[in-house]
Amino acid sequence: MTDLNDEINLREELDKYLRYWPWFLIGIFSFIIIAFLYLRISVPVYDTVASIIIKNQEAKGGGLGAGAADFADLGLLGGMSTNSIENEIGLLKSRRMMINTVRALNLNVSYYDLDGLKTDEIYLQTPYFVEVIQLNTQSWVEAYEAETNQFTLKPNGNESLRLSFIGTGETLEVNTDELIELPFATILIKKNLDSNSKYPVLVTINPIENVADKYREKVEINVLEDNATLLELRLGSPVKQKAQDILDQLIFEYNKEAIEDKNEVAVNTARFINERLDIISGELDTVEVGLEEFKETNSLTNIEAESSLFIQSASDYRKREQELQTQLTIAQSVIGYLQEDGKTSLLPADIGLEGESVNVQIASYNGLVLQRNRILSGATEKNPTVTRLNAQIGQLRQTILGGLERTVSSLKIGLRDLKQQSRVIGSQIAQVPTKERQFRDISRQQEIKEALYIFLLQKREENSLSLAATSPKAKIVDSAYSLSIPLYPKPKIVLAAALLLGLGIPFLIIYIRRLLNNKIERREDLEKITKEIPIVGELPRVAKGDSDLVEENDRSVLAESFRILTTNLQYLLVNAKHEDKGYCLYTTSTVKGEGKTFTSINLAMTLANTGKKVVLIGADLRNPQLQRYDSDSKSMLGVSDYLVNDDHKLESLIHDSKFHPKLKLFLSGSIPPNPSELLRQSKFGRMIAELREQYDYVIVDTAPAMLVADTFLISKYADLILYVTRAGYTEKKLINFAVDAQNDGKLHDISFVINDVKTANFGYGNKYGYAYGQDQPNLWKRFKSSF
């Protein structure tokens, strides 16, 4: 059930707006036309894109270039190494960089085509180029304020041109390839050799700095990936080629400055290295000469090798000394053994004595002793052989002794010489540490100078290679290119916005109008305020020029609305039936101007058209309105005269109407000074009762209920009171007056009638075609009636 109610409410809300469909249609149509005109006259702006990679040169010098890397290796750039991508973006967007770009492309001069609905910039397709030789900024400001910084160039029929200032209209006849003095600048006009056209162009001259500031704001630079040096440059411009040239030139200027900076550092590095080489070369020569003199003075070639040789010699001397001492000791022992008593015992052999003769003699001696001892084993001392052998042994003994004594003497001499040489070597070894220290000091200086000299030579070669082969800092990934679809205006978005505005603005106007409207407009407005009082009819708005009276055999919407009203009245008057008497119907309203007289006379006409006898009474004695419909009856007597003078007969005051033979008029008559007192009389009730007997319907047009009490005084005589409200006129809060009047008993049997309802707000009759058989109004009339 809730869903059904929500659906019904949604439909009702939609119907409140859909009834104004002509306005939505006009809004959409109007904004679509505006959108097409906007797209036609607006200059499309295209997005131009370029992408570059900033080379990472952190290996040496932190991205400062090869020369800076050399300085970094020399320890001269500590703390200056950086390759922040934000710094590079800042450099690309710097004012100086953009000024160089504008100056290189001559962008301070713009050219426009004067033909067509819009002024298009023609850039390089201009038939003439203007070169600004000199610009006075202060004079340009004055020219800008006077709009004389803009001028047109038109062919003058020959080789000359006519220059016309936009602001003042002043004209000059000028020639190409000649200096022209303007109030704010000196210019030179040249023909475009790539263009054969000759048509008028608009030229605008601006300071380079102003143009650079404008493009600085337009150029966008974004990092495409985190932790990467890939940059995307974007620029929106109506001229694709111009935007492409700007981005390409900006990248070129960036690389150019980077190369210049790199070369400048490299040149300064080369100068520094050469200066240092000269100094180090001199210092190295001095050290090497000193080393040479030290070696000559000390008779050195290689102090370490000679020191080793000295030590080795000392060791050899000590070893030789020990050997000689051993030989001497052995020799002296053998001599002592030989000098003992004249024994002929064996001598020690192979005891380490040097010299073959001694060892041979000892061997021979021992051989003779052994021979003699062998013979003695079988003979005596006196044996001739033994005697001969003893003689030989004695002689050889003396020979060995003499040889050993000479050997001892020779060993002593040799031992003395070795000791002397050992002392010399020891002295030389003692001097080695001092010489070695002195040598090492000199060698260290020589090595340091030599290493630095070699390092500088290497860096000079590297710097020379870097200077000869300079690469751009920004590697171009994509040269500038323009997208084919405009950045703005985008036709689809513009048309979609036009469609939304065409729907939204009428919706907003209607919504605000409804929000601020405190008047009733349609049946639903009354139903929301009160359910106690029924609504018996809705009367349409009468178009200007149409008749506001229902005629006989009338098939208009107005006539059908009153027929519906009379039909609804029949159901309300069922319980009010009087035997052989007619019905008494009152028409009243809250304030004047709501159409109660209009309702009364047309209701009377509709009932008369059905064959009923009807009398229409003008009971608004203060402001009678029935006379508007019958101008001839303005001077006739009426209700007030009847109530004042008892001599007047009722039949004489009621006269025929010119509208219908069965419709009689009983006008209000003269305006009395005391209408309330007149209506309060019982005579008015007797008048109504008498008329009930003569007519089928007695319709009483009363005064507004809220303004005067007249209607309350006579309401008891009515069978039914038609309370007329007017759409777009009656305030909603006034409806409560009718509800309170019925609740308080001041009025009874009230039914609402809504008058002057617009076609868009009209109820069932017009919406579903109750004007059956009648020609439908044209679209323009229906459109006008919707508001």
Side-chain angles (χ1 to χ4, degrees):
M1 188 65 182
T2 304
D3 295 338
L4 181 61
N5 291 335
D6 293 340
E7 183 180 355
I8 293 174
N9 292 335
L10 179 61
R11 289 177 181 175
E12 290 178 355
E13 289 298 321
L14 287 175
D15 288 340
K16 292 176 183 178
Y17 293 96
L18 290 177
R19 61 169 55 101
Y20 299 106
W21 63 266
W23 289 102
F24 287 101
L25 190 63
I26 289 177
I28 294 173
F29 183 73
S30 301
F31 278 100
I32 290 294
I33 292 178
I34 293 173
F36 275 111
L37 291 176
Y38 171 74
L39 292 174
R40 182 69 181 87
I41 64 175
S42 63
V43 179
V45 175
Y46 297 90
D47 194 14
T48 302
V49 183
S51 56
I52 59 175
I53 292 178
I54 304 298
K55 294 182 180 179
N56 192 347
Q57 300 177 353
E58 291 183 346
K60 289 187 178 182
L64 298 171
D70 295 335
F71 277 113
D73 286 342
L74 294 174
L76 301 177
L77 291 177
M80 290 184 62
S81 61
T82 178
N83 196 34
S84 172
I85 194 65
E86 288 79 7
N87 292 344
E88 305 304 326
I89 293 175
L91 183 59
L92 277 167
K93 294 195 69 172
S94 64
R95 191 170 188 258
R96 171 175 51 82
M97 199 71 68
M98 188 58 71
I99 287 175
N100 294 338
T101 301
V102 172
R103 182 178 288 110
L105 297 176
N106 198 26
L107 298 179
N108 59 319
V109 182
S110 302
Y111 311 92
Y112 301 92
D113 186 2
L114 295 177
D115 296 333
L117 295 176
K118 53 186 178 181
T119 304
D120 295 323
E121 186 175 356
I122 51 180
Y123 191 43
L124 299 179
Q125 285 71 38
T126 174
Y128 311 103
F129 285 122
V130 175
E131 181 180 350
V132 180
I133 307 301
Q134 185 178 6
L135 179 70
N136 187 316
T137 304
Q138 183 60 37
S139 301
W140 178 88
V141 173
E142 299 174 358
Y144 176 79
E145 294 175 352
E147 295 185 357
T148 55
N149 68 315
Q150 297 180 333
F151 54 85
T152 58
L153 291 176
K154 298 180 180 180
N156 201 21
N158 47 29
E159 295 299 323
S160 64
L161 300 172
R162 176 168 295 176
L163 188 152
S164 301
F165 292 101
I166 297 297
T168 61
E170 181 184 355
T171 60
L172 299 174
E173 186 172 342
V174 298
N175 296 317
T176 58
D177 299 322
E178 291 183 2
L179 291 177
I180 302 170
E181 294 291 338
L182 299 180
F184 60 92
T186 302
I187 65 173
L188 180 67
I189 301 177
K190 296 181 179 180
K191 292 182 180 179
N192 185 0
L193 300 180
D194 296 332
S195 176
N196 297 323
S197 302
K198 291 184 178 180
Y199 52 87
V201 296
L202 173 65
V203 181
T204 301
I205 298 177
N206 294 294
I208 292 177
E209 292 78 7
N210 293 11
V211 179
D213 291 338
K214 181 183 74 172
Y215 283 112
R216 276 186 67 209
E217 296 178 357
K218 292 184 177 181
V219 172
E220 297 180 4
I221 303 177
N222 302 311
V223 181
L224 293 184
E225 297 290 342
D226 294 337
N227 302 322
T229 59
L230 180 61
L231 301 182
E232 182 183 69
L233 289 76
R234 307 184 78 97
L235 174 62
S237 174
V239 184
K240 295 181 180 180
Q241 187 60 48
K242 185 175 184 179
Q244 293 172 14
D245 291 346
I246 290 174
L247 292 184
D248 287 338
Q249 186 67 31
L250 180 61
I251 296 172
F252 174 79
E253 293 292 335
Y254 173 80
N255 280 331
K256 176 183 175 183
E257 183 170 292
I259 291 173
E260 289 176 353
D261 291 345
K262 182 178 179 181
N263 289 343
E264 182 179 356
V265 173
V267 170
N268 291 335
T269 303
R271 184 183 302 113
F272 171 78
I273 291 175
N274 289 332
E275 292 175 356
R276 293 299 301 167
L277 277 174
D278 292 340
I279 297 173
I280 298 301
S281 178
E283 293 178 352
L284 183 59
D285 289 341
T286 302
V287 172
E288 288 181 343
V289 170
L291 181 60
E292 181 181 358
E293 292 177 351
F294 178 80
K295 286 184 176 182
E296 290 177 354
T297 303
N298 294 277
S299 300
L300 297 174
T301 55
N302 190 331
I303 193 169
E304 293 181 356
E306 291 181 358
S307 298
S308 299
L309 182 60
F310 288 155
I311 295 172
Q312 184 64 37
S313 298
S315 177
D316 292 342
Y317 286 147
R318 285 194 297 271
K319 183 177 180 181
R320 183 60 180 164
E321 184 180 354
Q322 291 175 359
E323 291 176 355
L324 291 179
Q325 188 66 43
T326 301
Q327 293 291 320
L328 180 60
T329 303
I330 293 172
Q332 288 177 345
S333 297
V334 174
I335 291 174
Y337 186 81
L338 290 174
Q339 288 178 352
E340 289 182 0
D341 57 6
K343 293 180 178 180
T344 57
S345 58
L346 293 173
L347 294 177
D350 296 328
I351 57 175
L353 286 174
E354 294 181 355
E356 291 293 331
S357 59
V358 176
N359 288 322
V360 171
Q361 290 175 357
I362 291 175
S364 298
Y365 176 82
N366 288 334
L368 291 174
V369 172
L370 290 173
Q371 185 178 1
R372 189 199 67 172
N373 290 337
R374 187 172 57 251
I375 294 171
L376 283 177
S377 63
T380 62
E381 287 289 339
K382 292 181 179 184
N383 188 293
T385 303
V386 174
T387 303
R388 181 178 55 81
L389 289 174
N390 285 332
Q392 289 177 355
I393 291 172
Q395 185 180 359
L396 187 56
R397 184 185 183 95
Q398 290 299 321
T399 301
I400 293 172
L401 184 60
L404 289 173
E405 289 178 351
R406 287 191 300 272
T407 299
V408 169
S409 176
S410 176
L411 288 173
K412 288 182 178 180
I413 293 172
L415 187 59
R416 186 172 55 250
D417 291 339
L418 283 175
K419 288 183 178 181
Q420 183 178 358
Q421 290 177 7
S422 295
R423 286 194 295 270
V424 173
I425 292 298
S427 175
Q428 290 178 343
I429 291 174
Q431 294 178 0
V432 164
T434 302
K435 291 181 180 181
E436 185 176 9
R437 179 181 55 77
Q438 295 174 352
F439 176 79
R440 285 190 178 278
D441 289 341
I442 299 173
S443 297
R444 187 182 298 110
Q445 295 181 22
Q446 186 262 347
E447 289 173 358
I448 292 173
K449 302 298 181 183
E450 184 179 8
L452 186 55
Y453 183 78
I454 294 173
F455 175 78
L456 291 173
L457 286 176
Q458 180 184 357
K459 290 303 175 184
R460 184 172 67 178
E461 291 302 317
E462 292 176 359
N463 187 68
S464 298
L465 291 174
S466 174
L467 187 61
T470 54
S471 61
K473 188 174 184 180
K475 179 182 178 180
I476 299 176
V477 178
D478 288 318
S479 297
Y481 63 93
S482 298
L483 303 180
S484 58
I485 300 177
L487 187 62
Y488 62 88
K490 294 184 177 179
K492 292 183 179 179
I493 294 179
V494 172
L495 293 176
L499 180 62
L500 291 177
L501 288 174
L503 292 172
I505 290 182
F507 175 84
L508 188 62
I509 293 174
I510 294 170
Y511 175 78
I512 294 176
R513 188 169 178 266
R514 290 184 58 204
L515 189 65
L516 299 179
N517 185 21
N518 63 345
K519 310 289 196 306
I520 63 170
E521 296 288 346
R522 58 188 65 82
R523 182 187 193 94
E524 291 83 354
D525 295 337
L526 276 177
E527 291 175 344
K528 287 180 180 179
I529 297 174
T530 176
K531 298 288 186 180
E532 302 174 10
I533 301 176
I535 301 173
V536 294
E538 295 176 81
L539 307 179
R541 174 175 292 180
V542 178
K544 187 177 181 181
D546 293 345
S547 174
D548 61 348
L549 290 176
V550 175
E551 300 177 0
E552 191 173 2
N553 299 322
D554 194 345
R555 293 187 298 170
S556 65
V557 177
L558 178 65
E560 294 297 336
S561 299
F562 274 99
R563 291 188 186 105
I564 294 173
L565 174 61
T566 57
T567 301
N568 292 335
L569 289 178
Q570 303 307 316
Y571 295 99
L572 298 176
L573 293 173
V574 171
N575 298 325
K577 181 66 177 174
H578 302 285
E579 186 176 354
D580 297 330
K581 291 183 179 180
Y583 298 105
C584 181
L585 305 179
Y586 282 13
T587 58
T588 187
S589 64
T590 308
V591 294
K592 68 175 183 176
E594 293 180 297
K596 52 184 176 48
T597 303
F598 162 79
T599 303
S600 299
I601 192 169
N602 280 290
L603 177 62
M605 283 287 297
T606 302
L607 292 172
N609 287 333
T610 62
K612 304 295 183 180
K613 294 174 60 178
V614 183
V615 61
L616 178 58
I617 302 175
D620 187 355
L621 305 182
R622 303 171 188 268
N623 185 24
Q625 294 295 319
L626 281 178
Q627 287 86 340
R628 290 189 299 110
Y629 295 95
D630 190 355
S631 58
D632 297 336
S633 61
K634 289 184 179 180
S635 58
M636 295 181 180
L637 301 178
V639 175
S640 61
D641 302 293
Y642 174 76
L643 296 176
V644 170
N645 192 345
D646 294 336
D647 296 335
H648 290 299
K649 298 298 181 180
L650 190 59
E651 293 81 3
S652 63
L653 299 179
I654 297 176
H655 62 88
D656 297 333
S657 72
K658 63 180 181 179
F659 309 115
H660 198 280
K662 289 187 174 294
L663 174 60
K664 305 298 182 180
L665 295 180
F666 188 11
L667 303 178
S668 58
S670 305
I671 298 176
N674 54 347
S676 295
E677 285 74 6
L678 293 178
L679 294 175
R680 194 187 300 271
Q681 298 177 19
S682 60
K683 187 177 182 181
F684 184 85
R686 293 194 298 273
M687 179 191 74
I688 294 296
E690 186 177 348
L691 292 175
R692 280 175 180 271
E693 295 177 354
Q694 300 177 18
Y695 297 94
D696 296 322
Y697 287 94
V698 178
I699 299 176
V700 183
D701 181 21
T702 66
M706 193 176 77
L707 300 181
V708 293
D710 297 357
T711 303
F712 295 146
L713 297 175
I714 60 176
S715 64
K716 58 186 176 180
Y717 305 116
D719 294 321
L720 183 66
I721 299 175
L722 298 180
Y723 203 98
V724 180
T725 61
R726 182 176 179 181
Y729 184 84
T730 304
E731 295 183 7
K732 294 178 181 178
K733 62 182 180 180
L734 297 182
I735 302 302
N736 293 323
F737 176 79
V739 176
D740 294 339
Q742 177 166 278
N743 293 336
D744 296 341
K746 297 178 181 179
L747 298 175
H748 64 90
D749 296 311
I750 296 177
S751 295
F752 281 123
V753 175
I754 307 175
N755 180 34
D756 201 23
V757 180
K758 299 175 185 176
T759 303
N761 298 327
F762 202 57
Y764 309 113
N766 183 64
K767 184 174 182 180
Y768 294 102
Y770 270 103
Y772 181 74
Q774 183 186 10
D775 293 337
Q776 291 289 335
N778 57 37
L779 181 63
W780 174 247
K781 288 185 178 180
R782 283 185 286 168
F783 167 69
K784 288 195 300 181
S785 66
S786 65
F787 258 77

